[in-house]
Amino acid sequence: MSEHVEVAAFDVDGTLTVRDCVRPFLVEVAGWRGLAAAVARKPQVAVRAAVQRDRDRFKELMVGGVLRGRAIEHVEALGERFATVVHDSWLRADTVSRLRWHQRMGHRIVLVSASLSPYLRPLGRRLGVDAVLCAEPLRAGDEFADGLDGANCRAAEKVRRLEEWLATQHIDQATIWAYGDSEGDRELLQRADHPLLVKDTTVSPVPAGFNA
């Protein structure tokens, strides 16, 4: 049986950052024309996803259309550069301060996000977190393929990924802190012992009732 640990799970877009990161990264890779072409290549799928408000299918369509056939090494180099932009210009000072508190307290920090791995893993290294659980573009050899490898990391999938990570770390006694800003974080927040919806609020550097 593992010792009891504290785990802080952070959403990224809108929680640790001031804006969405997925679309700007895809534009960085392919430009606006490339992004439009990615959607237009399967118009029926795009229309169906829009009508059904299927965000996961629409995202898979965009990611696959932009990244398929591109060299993984090249896209990951762009991801490193993009992560620097996010780290230097797009982070929310308040939630990052809370993340730093968790680190000072010796808690395990996990990013659980629908953002894309080519830039989110480098961002995770810059933040010094313990794990990055996110949307993974499908790979085929040295290139990206069409779509995502597994489910988009949002809603119930966030909880599944977190539980899977806890199991791989042999953590069976954990107090879970969770931070999110949207409906896509609802299940993660419900799973947590200490949930915090950060939308339209300023997060204190130290939670009420705890020491700095």
Side-chain angles (χ1 to χ4, degrees):
M1 182 177 295
S2 67
E3 62 177 324
H4 188 90
V5 299
E6 306 256 346
V7 176
F10 285 84
D11 169 56
V12 176
D13 290 12
T15 299
L16 282 174
T17 69
V18 297
R19 59 174 298 174
D20 167 72
C21 296
V22 175
R23 185 177 298 176
F25 177 68
L26 294 177
V27 171
E28 179 72 16
V29 173
W32 283 107
R33 288 185 179 181
L35 189 60
V39 175
R41 71 196 175 98
K42 295 181 178 180
Q44 292 182 337
V45 175
V47 170
R48 189 180 309 116
V51 170
Q52 297 176 351
R53 297 184 179 181
D54 188 343
R55 294 175 56 185
D56 295 335
R57 186 68 188 95
F58 195 79
K59 178 178 179 177
E60 188 166 20
L61 177 66
M62 287 198 305
V63 172
V66 168
L67 297 187
R68 68 187 180 116
R70 295 184 187 271
I72 292 173
E73 183 177 5
H74 173 67
V75 173
E76 290 188 339
L78 293 176
E80 289 280 352
R81 186 173 69 188
F82 187 78
T84 299
V85 173
V86 176
H87 182 270
D88 293 348
S89 303
W90 294 359
L91 290 181
R92 279 182 58 165
D94 60 337
T95 48
V96 172
S97 292
R98 178 64 68 88
L99 183 151
R100 296 305 184 201
W101 175 81
H102 283 290
Q103 290 175 323
R104 291 196 303 272
M105 297 298 292
H107 300 170
R108 306 285 291 275
I109 314 297
V110 185
L111 304 185
V112 189
S113 171
S115 264
L116 301 172
S117 62
Y119 63 84
L120 198 59
R121 294 193 188 283
L123 180 62
R125 290 195 297 271
R126 286 162 172 77
L127 291 171
V129 305
D130 295 279
V132 175
L133 314 176
C134 61
E136 298 282 357
L138 192 63
R139 301 173 181 231
D142 295 332
E143 297 180 345
F144 284 106
D146 190 350
L148 296 175
D149 187 359
N152 189 21
C153 191
R154 65 180 298 274
E157 179 66 10
K158 289 194 172 191
V159 176
R160 192 196 70 78
R161 297 276 193 97
L162 179 60
E163 296 288 1
E164 182 179 64
W165 178 80
L166 291 169
T168 64
Q169 300 298 304
H170 306 291
I171 298 172
D172 53 24
Q173 296 186 74
T175 296
I176 305 296
W177 300 68
Y179 300 87
D181 76 301
S182 71
E183 180 64 22
D185 301 311
R186 177 170 54 87
E187 290 87 347
L188 180 64
L189 294 173
Q190 289 175 341
R191 167 66 177 85
D193 302 284
H194 299 285
L196 184 59
L197 183 67
V198 306
K199 185 176 181 180
D200 298 327
T201 189
T202 299
V203 179
S204 62
V206 177
F210 290 84
N211 296 323

